[in-house]
Amino acid sequence: GIDEDCDGEDTLSSVFELSNVTIKIYPNPATDYINIVSSDLLDFGVRIMDLNGKLVLNRIKENKIPNSHITQGQYILEVRDLNSNNMIQELILIQK
């Protein structure tokens, strides 16, 4: 395991390929924030939706997504390349 956020706990991370750029999303489950790290410059938007598709959060070009105001539960995290409109989706768990 890797302690990505240096809090003493190993958390899961996901690695994706989006428009020829490697995207890493962690931690999952998340408590206070979600990190989105790209291997290259990428103009991207982030959306978090509940499992019914209702938009909960929308951000542009933000690598550290706060989620302290989001109710505990499962959500869909979408990262979209703003130039090509390609996207990836990941099921995330918000814990309090």
Side-chain angles (χ1 to χ4, degrees):
I2 299 172
D3 185 8
E4 286 99 344
D5 57 4
C6 300
D7 69 353
E9 295 181 21
D10 292 343
T11 54
L12 298 177
S13 63
S14 298
V15 179
F16 298 92
E17 193 76 20
L18 177 63
S19 300
N20 296 319
V21 175
T22 301
I23 304 288
K24 185 175 182 180
I25 299 170
Y26 68 93
N28 192 6
T31 53
D32 298 316
Y33 57 87
I34 299 166
N35 289 305
I36 301 171
V37 179
S38 62
S39 64
D40 201 355
L41 293 177
L42 181 70
D43 290 331
F44 66 92
V46 176
R47 297 187 334 161
I48 296 179
M49 296 159 287
D50 67 18
L51 297 183
N52 294 317
K54 180 181 176 189
L55 184 63
V56 175
L57 180 136
N58 191 23
R59 297 281 196 269
I60 301 289
K61 298 180 187 177
E62 194 171 323
N63 292 24
K64 192 170 188 173
I65 309 298
N67 58 32
S68 58
H69 67 285
I70 300 174
T71 305
Q72 181 170 306
Q74 289 186 327
Y75 294 88
I76 299 168
L77 173 75
E78 178 183 282
V79 179
R80 183 178 300 269
D81 178 347
L82 298 177
N83 296 315
S84 70
N85 216 28
N86 293 332
M87 70 166 180
I88 56 172
Q89 291 184 330
E90 169 78 350
L91 185 65
I92 59 166
L93 178 63
I94 304 294
Q95 289 184 332
K96 301 295 178 182

